[in-house]
């Protein structure tokens, strides 16, 4: 899984690298597959602003206006370009920025109907990790190694001096707690600023491999996550003054963290390790701030073997790890409690399958 989020109703969503949008209405105990309209397309991130959701990925930007029940495609400039990846950052339901792997920074104030290009593309310099306080002030990572800042809505960009970080650190995550205090992750370290990102200081004692990003669920509690040969997770409860390693979480590298205000639970999305053959695709949850974790549904990377509709409404998908059923023409899919390794099927009637 590559992203995880909670909508305004408390439903849990995750997206995958093989094009699945999954929804759980019982905090991860059971899941249903939501029809994205673009099956098999790589998805990287999912976010919600109130009842409006956005999913981004390879040549892909989806939007939902009904809390994730249905999704439709948006068409920002550059969408049809080969192997272009998009990352969204929305200030509210309608206003936000989308950056691309080809160097574009796009802005919309009407929910994606129209777009304004704030930075022309460069094939050699992708843009990632967008963070904006408002429509005028924000920062992005460009080319993986450069940090840019704007104070005029993207008309001009200032290249921040990162010489204190050493030689070409790969920047992976960016988050501001307020207008001055920020944290920046590289693949191996954590840095902090107290002057709006103009100067950076290394957080001592924080070391790792392949940090993926950073997330705060409030101004006190935060997490640095990633990993390679298994998950890596750091946590703070004092706004980043001190950090400790969480050694209780299992499965593969962590790609995202979500928090449910309704239940107070944390959720982590996991993916297969980069350089290990062990499989780590899973969802974990914690009801005590990360002190202990529970492996929810494995939802391991299904390779679909068979799909068929017995009636206009009712259909089945059989995969290597899970079997699914829909009763609404494929809009949603429920994971069946079947453990048979099914490769093909023949429908005699609505109740009988061979």
């Amino acid at each position: 899984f590559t992203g995880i989020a909670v909508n305004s109703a408390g439903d849990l969503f995750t997206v995958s690298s093989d094009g699945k949008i999954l929804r759980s209405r019982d905090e991860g105990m059971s899941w249903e597959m939501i029809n994205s309209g673009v099956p098999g397309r790589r998805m990287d991130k999912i976010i919600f602003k109130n009842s409006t959701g956005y999913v981004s990925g390879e040549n892909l930007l989806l939007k939902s206006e009904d809390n994730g029940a249905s999704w439709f495609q948006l068409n920002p400039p550059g969408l049809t370009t080969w192997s272009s990846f998009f990352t969204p950052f929305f200030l509210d339901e309608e206003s936000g920025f989308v950056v691309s792997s080809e160097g574009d920074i796009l802005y919309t104030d009407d929910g994606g109907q129209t777009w304004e290009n704030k930075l022309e593309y460069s094939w050699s310099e992708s843009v990632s990790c967008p963070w904006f306080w408002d429509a005028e002030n924000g920062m992005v990572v460009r080319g993986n190694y450069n940090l840019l800042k704007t104070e005029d809505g993207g008309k001009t960009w200032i290249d921040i001096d990162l010489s204190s970080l050493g030689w070409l650190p790969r920047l992976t995550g960016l988050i501001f707690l307020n207008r001055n205090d920020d944290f920046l992750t590289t693949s191996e370290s954590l840095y902090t600023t107290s002057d709006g990102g103009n100067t950076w200081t290394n957080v001592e004692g924080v070391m790792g491999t392949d940090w993926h990003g950073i997330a705060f669920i409030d101004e006190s509690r935060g997490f640095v996550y990633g990993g390679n040969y298994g998950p890596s997770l750091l946590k703070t409860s004092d706004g980043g003054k001190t950090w400790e390693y969480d050694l209780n979480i299992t499965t593969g590298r962590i790609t995202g963290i979500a928090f449910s205000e309704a239940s107070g639970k944390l959720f982590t999305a996991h993916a297969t390790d980069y350089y290990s053959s062990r499989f780590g695709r899973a969802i974990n949850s914690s009801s005590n701030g990360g002190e202990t974790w529970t492996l929810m549904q494995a939802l391991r990377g299904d390779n679909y073997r068979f799909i068929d509709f017995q009636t206009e409404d009712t259909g089945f998908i059989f995969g290597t790890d899970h079997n699914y059923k829909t009763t609404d023409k494929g809009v949603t899919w429920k994971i069946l409690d079947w453990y048979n390794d099914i490769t093909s099927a023949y429908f005699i009637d609505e109740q009988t399958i061979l």
Side-chain angles (χ1 to χ4, degrees):
F1 298 108
T2 51
I4 191 167
V6 177
N7 69 8
S8 62
D11 300 330
L12 181 64
F13 284 77
T14 187
V15 295
S16 70
S17 59
D18 54 358
K20 297 187 185 73
I21 301 177
L22 297 173
R23 177 178 65 184
S24 173
R25 289 180 163 176
D26 53 13
E27 299 178 345
M29 298 301 297
S30 62
W31 296 83
E32 58 183 342
M33 189 163 59
I34 305 298
N35 182 18
S36 68
V38 285
R41 192 84 61 84
R42 178 182 174 88
M43 299 176 184
D44 283 336
K45 189 173 183 178
I46 180 170
I47 63 172
F48 282 94
K49 288 293 183 180
N50 297 322
S51 61
T52 300
Y54 294 91
V55 169
S56 63
E58 184 176 12
N59 291 336
L60 179 69
L61 185 62
L62 302 179
K63 182 180 179 180
S64 172
E65 296 177 341
D66 54 11
N67 251 337
S70 62
W71 298 84
F72 59 91
Q73 291 193 66
L74 297 178
N75 295 287
L79 185 65
T80 58
T81 306
W82 178 79
S83 196
S84 180
F85 287 85
F86 293 87
T87 304
F89 185 98
F90 274 77
L91 302 166
D92 53 40
E93 297 96 323
E94 299 297 310
S95 302
F97 294 82
V98 173
V99 302
S100 80
S101 60
E102 293 181 2
D104 290 306
I105 301 177
L106 306 171
Y107 174 74
T108 180
D109 59 7
D110 56 13
Q113 297 183 51
T114 59
W115 299 88
E116 180 183 356
N117 201 326
K118 297 292 187 177
L119 185 67
E120 292 298 329
Y121 72 85
S122 169
W123 287 95
S124 61
E125 293 185 313
S126 64
V127 179
S128 60
C129 304
W131 183 270
F132 288 84
W133 300 281
D134 51 44
E136 297 296 317
N137 300 276
M139 303 183 80
V140 298
V141 171
R142 188 175 188 182
N144 294 324
Y145 307 105
N146 303 295
L147 187 61
L148 304 183
K149 181 178 182 179
T150 183
E151 297 175 340
D152 56 12
K155 295 177 182 177
T156 59
W157 294 87
I158 303 168
D159 199 339
I160 302 297
D161 181 11
L162 297 180
S163 58
S164 61
L165 277 61
W167 187 75
L168 290 180
R170 183 167 61 87
L171 311 180
T172 60
L174 178 69
I175 189 170
F176 272 82
L177 301 184
N178 51 57
R179 292 296 290 264
N180 292 315
D181 300 317
D182 174 38
F183 291 92
L184 175 70
T185 57
T186 70
S187 56
E188 298 180 349
S189 302
L190 175 65
Y191 295 86
T192 185
T193 182
S194 59
D195 59 8
N198 294 313
T199 60
W200 296 87
T201 303
N202 178 252
V203 177
E204 295 183 2
V206 175
M207 298 181 63
T209 56
D210 290 308
W211 291 123
H212 183 81
I214 183 170
F216 272 77
I217 60 177
D218 54 39
E219 288 201 358
S220 298
R221 295 175 293 171
F223 300 86
V224 176
Y225 58 90
N228 189 355
Y229 295 96
S232 293
L233 184 64
L234 282 169
K235 59 184 179 181
T236 180
S237 58
D238 56 13
K241 295 182 178 64
T242 60
W243 295 84
E244 61 177 329
Y245 286 89
D246 189 331
L247 303 178
N248 299 316
I249 198 164
T250 60
T251 68
R253 59 189 173 92
I254 303 172
T255 57
I257 290 181
F259 176 70
S260 172
E261 293 185 1
S263 66
K265 285 188 176 182
L266 283 168
F267 299 92
T268 54
H270 299 254
T272 308
D273 295 332
Y274 285 120
Y275 308 117
S276 172
S277 60
R278 82 181 213 171
F279 209 87
R281 190 176 189 177
I283 301 292
N284 271 293
S285 73
S286 174
S287 58
N288 53 16
E291 293 297 323
T292 58
W293 294 90
T294 300
L295 183 64
M296 303 303 292
Q297 287 268 1
L299 296 177
R300 300 187 183 277
D302 288 0
N303 292 313
Y304 296 143
R305 292 173 169 172
F306 180 84
I307 181 170
D308 195 11
F309 276 77
Q310 202 276 326
T311 67
E312 181 181 352
D313 297 317
T314 303
F316 293 84
I317 293 177
F318 301 132
T320 55
D321 295 287
H322 292 284
N323 303 301
Y324 306 84
K325 180 181 179 179
T326 180
T327 56
D328 56 9
K329 300 182 175 66
V331 176
T332 61
W333 295 83
K334 179 182 179 181
I335 296 177
L336 300 173
D337 190 19
W338 297 355
Y339 298 100
N340 307 75
D341 189 12
I342 301 171
T343 58
S344 185
Y346 176 78
F347 294 87
I348 296 175
D349 54 43
E350 293 188 21
Q351 303 297 325
T352 309
I353 306 175
L354 294 177

